[in-house]
Structures are given as structure tokens and as C-alpha cells.
Amino acid sequence: MDAPWAARGRPRTVHIAGDSTAAAKPASAAPMAGWGMALPLFLGRDLAVANHARDGRSSLSFLAEGRLDALVDTLRPGDLVLIQFGHNDQKAEDPTRYTDPATTYRHHLLRLVAAVRAARAVPVLLTPVERRSFGPDGSAQQTHGPYAETARSVAAEEQVALIDVQAASHALWQQLGPEASKDAFLWLGPGDHPNHPRGAQDDTHVRSRGAIEIARLVARGLRAAGLLAPADVRRLEDEDIPESGLTWEQEPPR
């Protein structure tokens, strides 16, 4: 496995390659938020976060648009790259984004890992954030099946660090239950927020509170994997983090 980069002794950047669940959001989308917006709240102040995640991307479209090349051009040795795809890879109706978990999705993860390593940076694979999905008995359902399994198997075979966000978020939604979990997702009643006057019932995208808790899970995973030293992280316990700590973009990311 790639050597822990916490001991390299230089200013470092944590890069994120992913989809809308991690991406920065414009002010017009608030309170929808990506967990990448909240990650700096859990990292030491000498660690920068570069969020390359974009709405609607799959592993296929991220690569096809040249976003990997643009990311690699910014890397320095020892930087960390968090790779999380899967949501949009499942969209079989869209050939510009769909990937087969056993073949093309796997191939794209391998390509991402290889490119990061070639730049002497450290890849970390993340399973996708679990959706809010509950069965008739009130139990949280798993919706990423083979995509999460492929990420796990690639991490094991390539000796890449893995943060199992799918498993951790699934456990969190199970703990919260069908009703309380709505506070983590973009569930709004009509008139609750001026950006969503008709309300929203979105079981994929999180709002401020959900972004904060997913970012906490990611930071815990980085620490548990030995990729960050104790001094590199903060607030990993269940400390209440104000939603005012998040900042939305004034213009949509391009």
C-alpha cells in the first residue's frame, strides 16, 4: 500500500475526484451541499482541500472530459487524492455516464489510481455515499451493491487505501431512521427555503447537516488508515459543527 503521506513533512493538499455528492455547490442550490465543502472543518489548518468533483459525473464522463488530466497537472508528490464515483455510473439509460461495475467501472478506477501514483501522489478509493432508502420494515437499504464491491476489490488488489463511505453512511442512516435521516438530506417543505420554493424530496443529495456528517466519516477514515496524523485532524468525535461553517460558491463551478 502507498506509504502514509502524513510524515512527508511538507504542506499538503487533499484533492477530491467525484460527483455531486462531494462537489461544491452554488449559493443558488443551498442548503444542498457536497461533503467536500465540509471536509476542511475536520482537517488541520495546514492542509488545503482542492475539490475537483462535479455534479453529474461518473467515472466515465470525468475521464472523457479530461478532468483527470487537469487534476494530475495540479498534483505534487505526497498529495492525497480521494476518488469517489458510483452514483452516476449506475445510470444505464445514459451511455455517456453508465459503466458496468465488473468491467468499465473497474477499468476506470484502475486508470485513476495509476495516474495518481504516476504523479507520486497517494490515491484513496472511497465507496459511494449511500442514498436514503428504507424498506417497509424501516431498515436502511443498500443501493450501490456491485459498485461498492468493485471499489473494495480494486483497493485490496492494488493495495490502495479504502474508506468505506457506503458502509459507514448506511450505518448512520440506519441509526437515524426514516424520519430523522430526512434532516441530513435535501428534504424541504414548500416555503422552507427560498432556493426551493416548492420544497424538495431528494434521497441522494445531502444538505448542510448531512455534508458535515459525511465529511466527518471521511476524515475518520483518513485517520484510521494512517494517512493523516492525529495533529492533521480535528472534531472527529460527535462535536456539534454549526452549518454556518459551510460556504457556497457565488457562481456554479465550471
Side-chain angles (χ1 to χ4, degrees):
M1 185 175 292
D2 302 272
W5 61 286
R8 294 179 183 268
R10 49 165 292 277
R12 293 152 291 169
T13 299
V14 179
H15 299 261
I16 303 170
D19 54 36
S20 60
T21 60
K25 298 290 184 283
S28 60
M32 183 191 294
W35 61 259
M37 297 166 59
L39 188 60
L41 300 174
F42 299 98
L43 303 184
R45 301 186 190 282
D46 62 333
L47 294 172
V49 175
N51 195 346
H52 306 264
R54 292 294 182 266
D55 291 357
R57 271 54 176 198
S58 69
S59 64
L60 171 61
S61 61
F62 191 88
L63 291 168
E65 293 172 3
R67 295 186 182 277
L68 173 60
D69 296 333
L71 187 160
V72 167
D73 285 344
T74 70
L75 293 179
R76 295 189 299 169
D79 280 353
L80 189 66
V81 182
L82 312 185
I83 301 166
Q84 182 198 263
F85 292 99
H87 277 85
N88 298 303
D89 290 77
Q90 298 180 37
K91 297 187 174 180
E93 72 281 3
D94 186 352
T96 67
R97 292 188 288 180
Y98 174 71
T99 64
D100 176 79
T103 57
T104 46
Y105 179 64
R106 174 185 173 83
H107 172 75
H108 296 152
L109 293 185
L110 291 170
R111 181 176 166 188
L112 286 155
V113 166
V116 171
R117 280 177 163 167
R120 297 172 60 201
V122 180
V124 181
L125 288 174
L126 279 62
T127 54
V129 178
E130 190 53 85
R131 300 180 177 95
R132 180 185 169 279
S133 177
F134 288 86
D137 62 351
S139 61
Q141 306 296 296
Q142 299 188 25
T143 68
H144 294 299
Y147 292 89
E149 285 304 319
T150 293
R152 295 180 187 113
S153 66
V154 169
E157 293 164 15
E158 295 297 311
Q159 295 188 315
V160 176
L162 174 80
I163 302 177
D164 200 342
V165 177
Q166 184 274 329
S169 57
H170 176 264
L172 178 58
W173 310 148
Q174 178 68 54
Q175 176 186 346
L176 291 174
E179 287 305 312
S181 60
K182 291 178 181 178
D183 291 338
F185 285 83
L186 193 68
W187 272 68
L188 301 168
D192 283 352
H193 196 283
N195 285 342
H196 307 272
R198 297 182 180 179
Q201 295 184 4
D202 188 334
D203 290 323
T204 295
H205 299 101
V206 295
R207 56 190 295 174
S208 311
R209 176 51 48 197
I212 288 169
E213 294 310 320
I214 295 300
R216 196 196 309 264
L217 295 178
V218 172
R220 285 174 177 166
L222 292 170
R223 177 67 188 96
L227 294 167
L228 294 182
D232 290 325
V233 293
R234 53 194 174 123
R235 298 167 159 174
L236 295 193
E237 302 307 319
D238 294 328
E239 175 185 343
D240 186 46
I241 308 294
E243 297 180 19
S244 59
L246 298 186
T247 301
W248 281 260
E249 302 280 350
Q250 293 305 307
E251 295 293 335
R254 299 182 182 278

